Amino acid sequence: MKKIAVLMGSDSDLPVVKAAFQVLREYGVPYEAHVMSAHRSPEAVRDFALAARERGFGAIIAAAGKAAHLAGAVAANTTLPVIGIPVKSSTLDGLDALLATVQMPSGMPVATVAIDGAANAALLAVQMLALSDAALAEKLDATRREMKAKIAEKDARLQKELENL
């Protein structure tokens, strides 16, 4: 199975990114995590992205706040799928990171999840790997069936409560 790279622009992004680690572990997807900055260590970002395919990665998740150029810097140096997580900072509540992550130039795609959306970034990466992994696809399908059943249960409880009003 391919592994997922999870890059953070700063160690301060770790509290947000932990949700991605949890999802990847739930699905049994191997991952590596690193702190790399598009601005402070651009050579490390470039070298990592250039070697990622050969190192067995199937997708790269990049979390960054403020200027949030990490996902774009990674995408510029690989043709692997890149998923950006805009991280909420104290300045503009993450809107700056969202806009920086989602506004990539033509030819440099970055899939972008919601601000602080690490769990969805990991799920998207799992879905990408599941394109060529039937067992992983079945795990995703099972999760969706569980979600559907939980919603039906909640609706049934609501209907009973409404009858008693």
Side-chain angles (χ1 to χ4, degrees), residues 72-132:
V74 171
N77 289 289
T78 186
T79 55
L80 288 174
V82 177
I83 304 164
I85 305 170
V87 176
K88 183 177 179 178
S89 65
S90 60
T91 45
L92 296 172
D93 287 333
L95 184 58
D96 49 347
L98 174 64
L99 293 174
T101 306
V102 77
Q103 294 292 338
M104 291 296 110
S106 181
M108 295 297 140
V110 170
T112 306
V113 296
I115 296 168
D116 291 351
N120 270 353
L123 280 170
L124 183 54
V126 171
Q127 289 175 325
M128 290 171 178
L129 295 185
L131 290 169
S132 60

Side-chain angles (χ1 to χ4, degrees), residues 46-66:
R46 179 182 177 276
D47 292 347
F48 186 91
L50 287 171
R53 184 180 305 277
E54 290 75 29
R55 292 189 51 217
F57 292 100
I60 301 171
I61 296 171
K66 297 188 179 182

